């Protein structure tokens, strides 16, 4: 993968033998450019992994609608608008919810 590359490891939940939380924590510390995902794999495809590792557009739109004065009038998300830099905060939130590296996959 090289020094710039990333590796996404998908472990099949159906296999039964899963690493412990401590093992996974140690692995992530030793290999920070590797992401591990646990999923039931029936028929792997790039499209399935994109759905698994990214936030659907409908969820993004629902989040943004919460910022609308009328649609999101009662939403706690509107508190973000009181922040000094609401755009940066929203981007930071989405960075935790979306795994953008999945879109750069060159082989499966």
């Amino acid at each position: 993968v090289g020094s710039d590359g990333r590796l996404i490891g998908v472990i099949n939940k159906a296999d039964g033998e899963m690493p412990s939380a401590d093992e996974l924590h140690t692995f992530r510390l030793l290999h920070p450019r590797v992401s591990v995902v646990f999923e039931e794999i029936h028929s792997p495809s790039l499209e399935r992994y994109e759905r698994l590792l990214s936030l659907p557009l409908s969820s993004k739109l629902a989040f943004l609608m919460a910022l609308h004065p009328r649609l999101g009038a009662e939403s706690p998300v509107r508190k973000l608008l009181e922040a000094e830099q609401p755009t940066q905060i929203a981007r930071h939130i989405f960075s935790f919810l979306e795994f953008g590296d999945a879109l750069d996959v060159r082989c499966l």
Side-chain angles (χ1 to χ4, degrees), residues 1 6-8 10 13 17-18 27-28 31 37-38 42 44 47 65 73 75-76 78 83 85 87 93 96 100 103:
V1 232
R6 298 211 20 112
L7 179 69
I8 304 168
V10 181
K13 287 181 182 178
E17 198 171 319
M18 305 290 280
F27 180 81
R28 286 182 173 149
H31 308 283
V37 177
F38 300 92
H42 300 292
E47 291 77 22
M65 282 193 290
S75 174
R78 291 197 49 81
Q85 298 178 330
T87 304
I93 291 169
F96 285 100
L103 304 176

Side-chain angles (χ1 to χ4, degrees), residues 19-34:
S20 69
D22 288 337
E23 290 172 325
L24 194 55
H25 178 73
T26 302
F27 180 81
R28 286 182 173 149
L29 289 175
L30 294 172
H31 308 283
R33 301 195 57 79
V34 175

Side-chain angles (χ1 to χ4, degrees), residues 10-84:
V10 181
I11 298 176
N12 192 353
K13 287 181 182 178
D15 287 345
E17 198 171 319
M18 305 290 280
S20 69
D22 288 337
E23 290 172 325
L24 194 55
H25 178 73
T26 302
F27 180 81
R28 286 182 173 149
L29 289 175
L30 294 172
H31 308 283
R33 301 195 57 79
V34 175
S35 299
V36 179
V37 177
F38 300 92
E39 180 65 23
E40 289 184 21
I41 304 169
H42 300 292
S43 55
S45 69
L46 183 57
E47 291 77 22
R48 180 164 167 75
Y49 286 128
E50 284 177 349
R51 280 194 310 272
L52 173 67
L53 300 170
S54 65
L55 191 64
L57 179 61
S58 59
S59 296
K60 290 179 187 177
L61 293 175
F63 179 85
L64 293 174
M65 282 193 290
L67 297 171
H68 187 275
R70 184 178 50 82
L71 297 173
E74 301 295 319
S75 174
V77 173
R78 291 197 49 81
K79 284 284 187 191
L80 288 175
L81 296 176
E82 297 171 13
E84 211 171 283

